[in-house]
Amino acid sequence: MIQTRSGAASLVFILLLRVIENCYAGTSTASFSATGLGQSGTVQFTYTNANLQVGLLDNFRVVLPSSFAFNVGGTTSALVGAISSTSDTWRQGTITTSGSTMSVQLNSAYAIYPVQVQQGFLVSVSYVRNPFEFYPSYANATVSLLDSSSNLRDTTLAFLPALSMTVLPPGSGSVALLNNAARSLTLLRLTLTTSAYVPLNGYLNLTLPAGFTLLPGSVAAQSPSNFDANVALYVSDVLPSSRTILLRAAQLAGTELTYLPPLRAASLSLGRARG
């Protein structure tokens, strides 16, 4: 009977302790330097909890939706600092990534550990690629604090900012006619600058103004310039009724590229159209 009472009392105590811990859960936020679909940039997370002391060997673990990717455009790294500090005092954290999960070991990266985190910490993570498609308005990242043995100390949700469609910013493309004579067949020279990565199953849609005629079977991509050496852009379809050319990117044999990198004044000729 004594052992039974002791066990019950212990169980009640543990449950009560967990309830108390949950009452003191921290908060976290997420912000992006690039908010366009497919863009790669820096993601900054903050974590604040006035009731926990962060130790030298603690870890932050961030789990993003699976449509995000690390190491796109460069090697992902993490800077750690206090929210109230200036960026010149931030220190490099030891980062590991797996899928859309990232862990940052604080170790001795930041000189003021261990400290109370009333004002909070921030983790700035580079070269994170946004999804190619919109996510729900309630999408979030899980930001957790773990000890050196990977025991969970606290976990929070950081809601993600909305993304926008900014693959082709205004004024980023142009089309030149190589033959300006009226009603003559001409090649088109298309020049593009894009701000995001495009998946290889995606496409670029070029629609000509009224008055032009596209001839089925006669439109092909030629003489590409400033495109990634591992990707070829080709005409996948021509829609004469809407004067539209659909361009797709194809992965070249022997490469592992799964997306078309941002273009910088890339150009190619398309022929032929009648003006």
Side-chain angles (χ1 to χ4, degrees), residues 232-243:
L233 207 63
Y234 68 98
V235 175
S236 67
D237 204 357
V238 177
L239 308 175
S241 61
S242 60
R243 308 174 306 282

Side-chain angles (χ1 to χ4, degrees), residues 160-182:
L160 302 177
L163 298 180
S164 59
M165 179 67 77
T166 55
V167 175
L168 292 171
S172 61
S174 64
V175 177
L177 304 181
L178 301 190
N179 183 349
N180 291 320

Side-chain angles (χ1 to χ4, degrees), residues 87-143:
S87 59
D88 61 321
T89 66
W90 300 351
R91 298 293 182 265
Q92 199 80 33
T94 303
I95 186 172
T96 57
T97 60
S98 176
S100 59
T101 298
M102 172 201 72
S103 296
V104 180
Q105 184 175 358
L106 305 182
N107 50 61
S108 57
Y110 199 62
I112 64 170
Y113 294 153
V115 297
Q116 291 296 113
V117 290
Q118 287 93 336
Q119 293 183 325
F121 283 89
L122 61 84
V123 181
S124 184
V125 187
S126 62
Y127 297 111
V128 181
R129 195 214 67 219
N130 296 337
F132 293 123
E133 298 181 355
F134 292 108
Y135 46 66
S137 59
Y138 52 80
N140 58 70
T142 302
V143 181

Side-chain angles (χ1 to χ4, degrees), residues 192-196 225-226 262-266:
L192 289 173
T193 294
T194 61
S195 63
S225 174
N226 291 338
L263 305 176
R264 298 292 179 265

Side-chain angles (χ1 to χ4, degrees), residues 195-220:
S195 63
Y197 291 79
V198 177
L200 293 189
N201 61 351
Y203 59 86
L204 298 173
N205 185 337
L206 173 63
T207 300
L208 298 177
F212 280 84
T213 301
L214 293 174
L215 305 179
S218 66
V219 180

Side-chain angles (χ1 to χ4, degrees), residues 54-68:
V54 179
L56 287 168
L57 299 180
D58 283 354
N59 295 269
F60 282 117
R61 182 177 65 198
V62 177
V63 181
L64 286 160
S66 59
S67 50
F68 283 83

